[in-house]
């Protein structure tokens, strides 16, 4: 989480305790562009209660591009994961 936060310039490391106790899971979304691995998003998934995609942010907490948001939302919907309006996707 520390390295993801540093690479994306946001505070995902603040989820460390929530991940350790099983309340949240964090996913890093990347895209291979030629020989480079371009980071596109960090996604937080709340595991307690109803599984919910809580946040999806780009670098510097930016809103995701439409294609990346569509892929992440499709992934969540295919797995029956609710999508929070806070996620901005």
């Amino acid at each position: 989480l520390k390295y993801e936060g540093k690479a994306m310039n946001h505070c995902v490391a603040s989820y460390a305790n929530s991940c350790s106790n099983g309340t949240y899971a964090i996913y890093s979304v990347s895209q291979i562009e030629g020989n480079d691995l371009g980071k596109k998003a960090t996604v937080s998934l709340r595991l307690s209660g109803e599984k919910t995609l809580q946040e999806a942010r780009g670098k510097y907490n930016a809103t995701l591009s439409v294609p990346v948001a569509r892929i992440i939302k499709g992934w969540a919907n295919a797995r029956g994961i609710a999508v929070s309006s806070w996620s901005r996707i």
Side-chain angles (χ1 to χ4, degrees):
L1 294 174
K2 177 180 157 186
Y3 295 115
E4 179 72 6
K6 188 171 182 137
M8 297 293 282
N9 290 296
H10 55 47
C11 64
V12 71
S14 66
Y15 281 91
N17 287 336
S18 296
C19 290
S20 292
N21 69 25
T23 306
Y24 276 84
I26 302 296
Y27 294 89
S28 180
V29 179
S30 301
Q31 179 180 359
I32 297 172
E33 301 169 355
N35 291 329
D36 294 325
L37 183 64
K39 287 193 171 284
K40 298 298 182 186
T42 306
V43 176
S44 67
L45 182 65
R46 188 180 71 213
L47 302 174
S48 60
E50 180 184 18
K51 285 185 182 175
T52 305
L53 192 155
Q54 200 66 30
E55 287 190 79
R57 300 286 190 264
K59 198 164 191 167
Y60 301 104
N61 285 317
T63 300
L64 302 181
S65 69
V66 172
V68 172
R70 188 177 300 130
I71 289 167
I72 293 170
K73 192 169 188 176
W75 171 84
N77 288 337
R79 286 155 183 79
I81 298 170
V83 178
S84 167
S85 60
W86 178 252
S87 70
R88 295 195 266 174
I89 63 169

